[in-house]
Amino acid sequence: MDSPMTAHAFRSPRRVSITIPFRTYQDLLQRSNEQGRSLSNLAAYLLETALLQEPGSTGSTQVSQRIGA
C-alpha cells in the first residue's frame, strides 16, 4: 500500500481560477513571452517556488522534485 506521501506525489494537477490586477496580468504575460512558456505554466511555477520559500511549508520536497530545484 502506498504511503500518503507517495500517493500525494502522483496526483494529477488541478485547475484553479484566480483574479489578479491588470498590471500583474501584463507583467506575467510579458515574462511568459520572454521565457517562451505559457502564462499558466509560468504562474504555476511562480506559485510553487513561492511555496518552497515559505517557512515551515509542507510538501516542499515534492514541489522541489517536480520543478527540479
Side-chain angles (χ1 to χ4, degrees):
M1 179 168 206
D2 290 334
S3 72
M5 295 294 275
T6 304
H8 176 71
F10 294 106
R11 290 184 183 166
S12 61
R14 301 289 184 210
R15 288 190 183 273
V16 297
S17 178
I18 62 171
T19 302
I20 57 175
F22 183 71
R23 180 64 192 175
T24 303
Y25 168 78
Q26 287 180 314
D27 291 344
L28 282 171
L29 188 59
Q30 179 180 350
R31 188 166 167 184
S32 69
N33 286 331
E34 290 169 357
Q35 294 183 10
R37 63 198 312 171
S38 70
L39 190 142
S40 63
N41 177 269
L42 175 62
Y45 169 79
L46 292 173
L47 285 169
E48 286 184 334
T49 55
L51 288 174
L52 276 175
Q53 296 172 5
E54 198 172 87
S57 67
T58 59
S60 60
T61 303
Q62 291 84 11
V63 172
S64 63
Q65 289 173 348
R66 281 197 312 272
I67 64 172

